[in-house]
Amino acid sequence: KIALLVGNNRYQHHPNLMAPVTDVFELSLLLEQLGFQVVSLLDLNKAEMVTAVSRFLQLLGKGVYAIFYYAGHGYEHSGRNYMVPVDAPQPYAPENCISVQRILQKMQQQQTALNLILLDTCRKWYNPECALSQVQPLEPWGNTVYGYATSEDAEAYELQDGEFSSGIFMKYLKKHILQEKKVTHMLEDVLEDIGRDPLVTGKQVMEIKHTLKEARSLTDPI
């Protein structure tokens, strides 16, 4: 069980965020309780993100449960999701950002038993003139789960309470992540709780996509 958590707060050319540093810390503690070996990194530039992901991929292999979590600025372009490193210039462009789909494709190539991608970013459509990054279609292995903090072309919100700040997504993920149930069912509980939160009604609805063909749970002994 291996997890890479990346939280980008302090941006050189974009508004700073508050919640990722707290969210990464709290998620790392919960995943350690579930038996995951966790690497948590904050405020990465593009080169650092590329290096972190390549090291993470080297740890994966047959039968591994792999989680990749990212909190920070992000956007969507023609169904592809991009994470924004702290040194990315304005405006966003794929060559300055990191393709989520490309990471997932490489995770699959390691023959993992479970790939869970949790994206706590906005998914506003952006920059239709830019060329898309090259991504091969995923193999139909039935081992992949996406948990998007928000739905297509929508924003993801932070909660600020004095000194403490947390993303709406993490507020409810923390509540459910230790449950002994199929990971997709656990995420459905998170989705339903976000849907009931009056602060984001009509603004943020979580989205889940998956091809998980077996009842894999984050509580499974490995």
Side-chain angles (χ1 to χ4, degrees), residues 18-31:
M18 301 280 288
V21 62
T22 309
D23 289 350
V24 162
F25 175 69
E26 297 201 317
L27 182 58
S28 69
L29 295 180
L30 291 165
L31 291 176

Side-chain angles (χ1 to χ4, degrees), residues 88-100:
Q90 287 269 25
Y92 300 150
E95 60 267 24
N96 305 127
C97 298
I98 306 288
S99 162
V100 176

Side-chain angles (χ1 to χ4, degrees), residues 3-7 19-40 67-71 116-120 164 166 169-178 186-187 190 218:
L4 172 61
L5 317 183
V6 176
V21 62
T22 309
D23 289 350
V24 162
F25 175 69
E26 297 201 317
L27 182 58
S28 69
L29 295 180
L30 291 165
L31 291 176
E32 283 167 6
Q33 284 185 52
L34 290 165
F36 279 83
Q37 297 181 46
V38 183
V39 176
S40 306
I67 295 178
F68 179 77
Y69 169 83
Y70 171 74
L116 174 59
I117 309 277
L118 298 171
L119 288 184
D120 200 352
F164 183 76
S166 173
F169 177 56
M170 186 57 65
K171 175 182 176 181
Y172 295 111
L173 185 64
K174 286 188 306 191
K175 178 178 163 186
H176 295 289
I177 196 166
L178 299 178
M186 180 274 290
L187 289 173
V190 179
L218 298 185

Side-chain angles (χ1 to χ4, degrees), residues 135-149:
V135 178
Q136 299 296 317
L138 289 179
E139 299 286 334
W141 285 351
N143 65 343
T144 299
V145 181
Y146 270 107
Y148 295 104

Side-chain angles (χ1 to χ4, degrees), residues 104-105 108-109 111 115 136-144 211:
L104 180 54
Q105 173 198 330
Q108 265 217 342
Q109 289 168 358
Q111 298 185 14
N115 291 322
Q136 299 296 317
L138 289 179
E139 299 286 334
W141 285 351
N143 65 343
T144 299
T211 61

